[in-house]
Amino acid sequence: MRASLIQIAVNEDESVEARRRRTASLVREQAGAADLVVLPELWTTGAFAFEAFDVEAEPLEGPTYEAMAKAASDAGVWLHAGSVPERAPDGHLYNTSLVLSPSGDLAAAYRKIHRFGFDKGEAVLMGAGEELVTVRLPETTLGVATCYDLRFPELFRGLVDAGAETLVVPAGWPERRRSHWTLLAQARAVENQAFVLACGTAGTHAGVPQAGHSIVVDPWGEVLAQAGGDEEVLTVEFDPARVARTREQFPALKDRMLGLPAPRR
Ligand SMILES: NC(=O)CCC(=O)C(=O)O
């Protein structure tokens, strides 16, 4: 199976509409080169451009969905279209990822569960998702998570329990915490014996330089490929059957001690 992670540069000198068009052509260019294409978190606005969330919010099947559905079907690829600021019918905002089939249908939508910012930014502007999402592809089952979710291993265990073998993480991770990004991507791969496909952004928005360095990690924790800091398409070939082999040959997941009593205080 081949996956292309499109590490888009998100800078303020480009309009949202221009970036949408440019991204759609990058997706189309993956025709024949990839089975699965992955885009980053909030690439229309930038993950740290908080003022833009409300202005650029769109319904689930809004302009980004429409442009990406067309691009996915033109290219004949599965497309994890990263996330958009979604305006729900009740008016609330969510950081919502879209997964599209090669015919352009919406296969899944995931509202980010762990919102970043503590008492500011996304954490106060967006609502929290409440559902884990997996998507069955012909070759593998995707488990989807977004950016800050990467710090919460229990979410990934939930995805593995739901059948995930390939963990896909769009992000808008800042350069200043790049070492955490690489470390956490490898940790989530090793502990879950799963592939991790983590796609970040390049560029600088709202004064926050982005880390880039999108990464693909195998179920043994080895880095199969990693991007640099600028806009880049990172294409990698991987064998989804390695997940089952790794879990069989080194069956650590079977040794989980579930239902341990709470510590005494
Ligand atoms: N957009 C995000 O979720 C940023 C996460 C982040 O900066 C971090 O976890 O560190």
Side-chain angles (χ1 to χ4, degrees), residues 125-139:
L125 297 169
M126 305 268 203
E130 294 178 344
E131 282 175 27
L132 298 184
V133 173
T134 59
V135 190
R136 183 67 209 156
L137 269 53
E139 306 87 344

Side-chain angles (χ1 to χ4, degrees), residues 7 48 116 147 150-151 171-187 198 200-203 208-215 217 223 226-230 232:
Q7 178 173 289
F48 287 85
F116 184 67
C147 204
L150 197 55
R151 294 185 183 273
W173 202 276
E175 168 61 19
R176 73 173 80 96
R177 290 185 289 281
R178 169 147 64 93
S179 60
H180 295 192
W181 165 251
T182 303
L183 188 65
L184 289 166
Q186 287 188 268
T201 52
V208 182
Q210 295 294 289
H213 288 81
S214 297
I215 186 167
V217 191
V223 176
Q226 187 157 29
D230 298 327
E232 182 175 332

